[in-house]
Amino acid sequence: MSREWIGRRRKDVCQNTKSKTRQRSWILPTFGIDAKLTIKTTIFLSPFTPRERLCMDRTNRWCLLLVIAFSNLWLHCSTNQGNCPPADWVLRNGAIYTMDAARTWAEAVAIDEGRLVYVGAEDGLKRWLGAHTKLVDLQDKMVLPGFQDSHVHPVSGGIELGECNLNGLTTQEQILDAIRRYAEQNPNAPWIRGGGWDLPIFPNANPHKSLLDQIVPDRPVFLSAADGHSAWANSRALQIAGITKDTPNTPNGRIERDPKTGEPTGTLREDATELVSKYLPEYTPEDYVKGLRRGLEMANRFGITSLQEASADEKYLEAYAELDRRGELTARVVTAMYVDPAQGVAQIPRLKELRQKYQGTRLRANAVKIFADGVIEARTAAVLEPYLDKPGDLGKPNLEPQAFNELVTALDREGFQVHVHAIGDRAIRMALDAFQSAVSANGRRDSRHHLAHIELFDPQDIPRFRQLGVIANFQSLWAYADSYITDLTEPALGPARSRWLYPIASVLKTGAVMACGSDWSVSSMNPIDAMQVAVTRRGLEDSTGAAWIPQELVELPAMLAGYTINGAYVNFEEQETGSIEVGKAADLIVLDRNLFEIPAHTIHRAKVLLTLLEGREVYRDSAFEIGR
């Protein structure tokens, strides 16, 4: 039998030495019991100075002695029927899919001081029950590890929820009505700002400024698209920004124009949005904190206990740090700090400073984010062959290949995890080439770099994820024939190239690691929705239609792994969370039904009833009752 105890040191351990956590692992024969003990701490910052290494070695030796002494008591409680302290929680009579290496099932779990102390059959629970134990009769409900969202925007999405929120609206009339109501309800707002409008609602994904002028003629309006790669402005906003028919396009963006007059239509692409956004009133620190709270509340409601913030500047980092300091950060968070393509390697010293500054109890700023290209719908994704409706246009990557290679190689050398937005097949190839360059220059290391979105592939690049150890970070909710695909994507690519849109199954067949993310607020944060689309390749309410590109259908266990243990792997936390195993943190959720026992087209109807983070309740459905 084996038991695993994971510890993290987060405080200074020697005078005048900066606090860092180092990975050490011992396999120990535990006295008198046929068991082994594995002790691991996780490296967050590197390299260490000689003084720090000496300090850490001394501290780890003391920690080792303490854990050896503790392990005998702990293993005695885990393997004997003796008098042991009762657990804080016991969940029994359930369908518990542990996501361990063997994908085993259990009937019950016990939780004490935030750790899983028992996972197994009902008959092993008695010793964990006490007068103050919270006892939950699951009544055959499903238990899973807490979900992990490997690409999400809780701060910006949460702020958007408090503004002119257009997410989920399906017609022009609904959108215009929502803008009108918001303007009437906020007569003193200097700007009407918000977003969430879907590109396919408007012809050519190009809403016109005149629609906004009719509603709000006297104040500037700036509304981001749901995908974050376009924006819609009225005439007043364009006037403030000085945008006219003579204004040139930005280096990595485009001002949409009337084909007859050359006048700006009001739609801006990529970094052309910054021509207007730079005039928006600044958010306050409290605005960022409030937005983050809203985002985290939604995440916990959907069963998410760990996430990777997909693009953070220092204001975002400070919001995360503030909640972490207060003990109110209700998810484990790794932040991918935004990398400005224009600054190249010159920004790395500043990124290192931010990495060192923003290390907390549940917060680690260890990753960086590079936007390689835009999106196919706006024809800003970098593709290998021209768009059919824009002859000769290959889209434009945000970095040239040599600069991309140099930047990724330098970031890899400094120990950063690199998180890349790549949509088009050329962007995917360039990113993989950059990772290959880093390996050639720096050697292989446990980097866990990942590419997100990865929509359009050249089949030749599919095996390279496994070969390079790059994680494929899919947003599988997009992998069906909605209007984004049928109206704005397939017509620009043609059938042969469209075959290789979101080839999730093909990537998995190579043995690559797949993680999953929502990209909220671009689309629903709910992992269960994304799982259903992946296993059906149909819309959520489509129960009988044909699967879109059926060769790429994925099995449910693979999707569950992508949202649990593989997500933990992305964040270097697979020893701490991501599966339900003794010794790990009690990050788990209860669903109202077993996903393996229902038709695939009904998976999205499953509901999270309870979310625990380190054994602490961070969400509970009001109808879900807990025993004594």
Side-chain angles (χ1 to χ4, degrees), residues 41-120:
T41 56
T42 304
I43 185 167
F44 291 157
L45 296 173
S46 62
F48 292 101
T49 65
R51 178 182 178 84
E52 290 170 330
R53 284 197 295 271
L54 176 61
C55 179
M56 289 298 297
D57 286 340
R58 290 171 177 170
T59 302
N60 282 332
R61 283 196 293 270
W62 279 107
C63 290
L64 176 58
L65 291 173
L66 289 172
V67 174
I68 289 173
F70 171 77
S71 67
N72 286 285
L73 173 62
W74 179 70
L75 282 169
H76 175 72
C77 291
S78 300
T79 57
N80 294 282
Q81 298 290 334
N83 295 322
C84 297
D88 298 325
W89 289 81
V90 165
L91 283 67
R92 59 171 295 273
N93 189 26
I96 302 170
Y97 192 49
T98 66
M99 295 306 303
D100 64 5
R103 300 298 189 257
T104 55
W105 291 79
E107 298 172 331
V109 298
I111 301 165
D112 194 51
E113 296 187 354
R115 317 299 296 189
L116 289 158
V117 294
Y118 177 79
V119 179

